[in-house]
Amino acid sequence: GAVVSQHPSRVICKSGTSVKIECRSLDFQATTMFWYRQFPKKSLMLMATSNEGSKATYEQGVEKDKFLINHASLTLSTLTVTSAHPEDSSFYICSARVTGDSYEQYFGPGTRLTVT
Amino acid sequence: GQSLEQPSEVTAVEGAIVQINCTYQTSGFYGLSWYQQHDGGAPTFLSYNALDGLEETGRFSSFLSRSDSYGYLLLQELQMKDSASYFCAVRVFSGSARQLTFGSGTQLTVLP
């Protein structure tokens, strides 16, 4: 149980375009999902906390208008990188929390974004 | 804010025991978790300590001392497949959300 999927696993896009990454909880409902960014050999940096039916809470330094997060259902959250730049190239990982009282997060397999 | 420190790299041989330390500074601390991540893969949960002491799960054990703001992950009978990055993460309550803040990770290399 507690499987989280991400799509696509890899994406290459041109500068200036937008790309959408989907995060799905496959066998449970997730009221809260998290989006992380990870650079090579580095830690996972929390970008935003996404709550179903409400606006995402962004961490300091993360541009809300650049990284659009939508959590329209209890099993799906999307991250859209708008007007992508080469410096946005990174590994993006989502996670989902099983219940409201739990700290435990289950991670998706990640999406490798390359902006050319 | 929160900060965590762990060694960047550790190398050991198959069959050996290795300990990865983690010190933290944080407010609103609820516990310490450990995650394993292979290259290009998703972090997977290994263990969690909310109280002082040792938690054992098979070949992996984790320890926490809240008074020292310190914990460690102990890996026994190392296998080649244990080569991966290991992250400690503190569980905190930030604003209205329960969050994980990750350390920078320790790259474990297991040699034959």
Side-chain angles (χ1 to χ4, degrees), chain B residues 37-53:
Chain B
Q37 185 183 32
H38 287 95
D39 277 348
T44 55
F45 172 77
L46 291 178
S47 69
Y48 170 61
N49 294 71
L51 303 175
D52 286 357

Side-chain angles (χ1 to χ4, degrees), chain B residues 28-72:
Chain B
F29 177 83
Y30 281 81
L32 186 70
S33 295
W34 288 92
Y35 287 81
Q36 178 193 62
Q37 185 183 32
H38 287 95
D39 277 348
T44 55
F45 172 77
L46 291 178
S47 69
Y48 170 61
N49 294 71
L51 303 175
D52 286 357
L54 190 68
E55 294 282 343
E56 298 181 68
T57 308
R59 294 189 296 116
F60 295 175
S61 303
S62 59
F63 172 82
L64 175 66
S65 169
R66 294 175 69 117
S67 60
D68 295 324
S69 297
Y70 163 76
Y72 66 72

Side-chain angles (χ1 to χ4, degrees), chain B residues 8-35:
Chain B
S8 59
E9 296 179 338
V10 173
T11 301
V13 296
E14 267 188 302
I17 300 173
V18 70
Q19 178 174 312
I20 300 174
N21 298 321
C22 175
T23 58
Y24 60 87
Q25 286 185 315
T26 184
S27 57
F29 177 83
Y30 281 81
L32 186 70
S33 295
W34 288 92
Y35 287 81

Side-chain angles (χ1 to χ4, degrees), chain A residues 32 34 36 38 41-44 46 49 51 57 59 91 93 97 100-110 112, chain B residues 28 30 33 35 37 39-45 48 87 91-93 96-100 102-105 107:
Chain A
T32 304
F34 303 86
Y36 296 85
Q38 186 177 34
K41 306 296 184 183
K42 298 294 184 182
S43 182
L44 287 81
L46 180 65
T49 301
N51 292 297
T57 302
E59 294 300 301
F91 193 51
I93 306 176
R97 197 168 67 204
D101 292 335
S102 171
Y103 277 86
E104 205 47 66
Q105 297 180 23
Y106 294 88
F107 288 83
R112 175 74 59 190
Chain B
Y30 281 81
S33 295
Y35 287 81
Q37 185 183 32
D39 277 348
T44 55
F45 172 77
Y48 170 61
F87 295 89
R91 298 185 175 191
V92 297
F93 193 84
S96 61
R98 293 169 173 80
Q99 295 180 341
L100 291 172
F102 287 83
S104 55
Q107 178 66 48

Side-chain angles (χ1 to χ4, degrees), chain A residues 17-75:
Chain A
T17 62
S18 296
V19 61
K20 181 185 287 187
I21 302 170
E22 294 185 348
C23 177
R24 294 181 184 272
S25 56
L26 298 185
D27 50 2
F28 65 97
Q29 293 185 330
T31 55
T32 304
M33 289 184 172
F34 303 86
W35 287 95
Y36 296 85
R37 183 174 181 176
Q38 186 177 34
F39 292 101
K41 306 296 184 183
K42 298 294 184 182
S43 182
L44 287 81
M45 294 176 53
L46 180 65
M47 298 174 65
T49 301
S50 169
N51 292 297
E52 186 267 339
S54 63
K55 291 184 178 180
T57 302
Y58 289 80
E59 294 300 301
Q60 191 173 6
V62 178
E63 299 177 58
K64 301 178 182 181
D65 295 332
K66 181 166 187 61
F67 298 100
L68 300 178
I69 291 173
N70 183 276
H71 193 160
S73 77
L74 287 171
T75 59

